[in-house]
Amino acid sequence: VASPRSDVWRGPIRPFFGASTVWGRTIMMLFTLVSLAMQPAAEPGWTWSLYADADPVVLAEEIPDTPRLRTTFECERGSGVVEATLYREAATPAEGDAGAPGFVTLSARGAAATSELTARSERLSFSLRTDHPVFAGFAAEGRLSVQGLGRPHRIEVGEEARAGLRRFVALCG
C-alpha cells in the first residue's frame, strides 16, 4: 500500500538529487554548511567574577575577556557600604526616567529598603550597607529584587558563584 506522498520523488529529478545519490548527499552537506555559517557565533555566557586584589573590591556580572558588564557591586575594604551599578544591558528605566535621579526599593528574603538612585551615562547606581537585612538576605540567597526602574528587575547570583559573593561581603565588612 503506497502512501499519498510515496510518488513525490518519482520523475526525472529523483536520480540526480535524491538523498541516496552522491549529488543528493553533496547538496545536503552544502545546505548544512551554509546554514551553519549563517548562524551567529555562540556568545560566551555571563558569569560572576570577584576582583579582590585591590581597592575597590568588585563583584562583577560580566562576559569574561570582553568589556560587557551587566551588574557590579563594589566597596572599599571594610567600609560596610556597597555601591551597586546596573549597566545599560540590565537597566532599562521607564520612558522619561533616564538621567533623572530617584529612588529604588530593594528586597531580599522578606526584608526591604529604599535607596537613592543615581544615573550616569548608561548606568544606574544605588548604595546599601552590608549590615542591612536586605543585603544579608541577598548574600544568603543570591537574589535581590530592584523596583523603581520602570519594570521589576532581579539580580541573581547562581549557586556556583555564591562563594565569591560571600567573600565579597566579608571583605567589604
Side-chain angles (χ1 to χ4, degrees):
V1 175
S3 72
R5 301 203 33 89
S6 64
D7 62 343
V8 170
W9 285 103
R10 289 188 191 180
I13 295 178
R14 184 167 190 244
F16 297 106
F17 300 108
S20 62
T21 67
V22 173
W23 285 105
R25 285 190 293 257
T26 304
I27 289 174
M28 289 175 72
M29 286 178 63
L30 284 173
F31 281 132
T32 303
L33 290 173
V34 167
S35 68
L36 288 174
M38 292 175 59
Q39 292 179 355
E43 179 179 77
W46 291 93
T47 187
W48 286 94
S49 303
L50 177 63
Y51 299 96
D53 296 338
D55 273 337
V57 177
V58 177
L59 181 66
E61 185 180 18
E62 63 180 355
I63 294 181
D65 302 322
T66 72
R68 295 182 64 191
L69 293 168
R70 189 180 284 162
T71 309
T72 59
F73 292 95
E74 62 183 78
C75 72
E76 297 296 324
R77 261 177 228 279
S79 68
V81 177
V82 172
E83 181 176 320
T85 302
L86 304 176
Y87 291 82
R88 182 185 55 176
E89 239 173 273
T92 51
E95 189 117 354
D97 285 351
F103 291 90
V104 290
T105 301
L106 311 168
S107 59
R109 211 177 201 183
T114 301
S115 181
E116 185 174 1
L117 180 69
T118 57
R120 291 176 279 165
S121 63
E122 297 182 350
R123 53 190 153 178
L124 302 170
S125 299
F126 57 88
S127 297
L128 189 62
R129 294 200 47 82
T130 57
D131 59 358
H132 194 283
V134 169
F135 200 79
F138 171 57
E141 289 186 342
R143 289 188 295 276
L144 178 66
S145 294
V146 183
Q147 302 284 329
L149 299 175
R151 64 176 172 82
H153 182 77
R154 186 175 207 135
I155 299 169
E156 292 196 40
V157 177
E159 189 66 42
E160 69 285 351
R162 295 246 180 90
L165 174 58
R166 287 189 290 274
R167 183 154 183 252
F168 173 80
V169 174
L171 290 170
C172 292

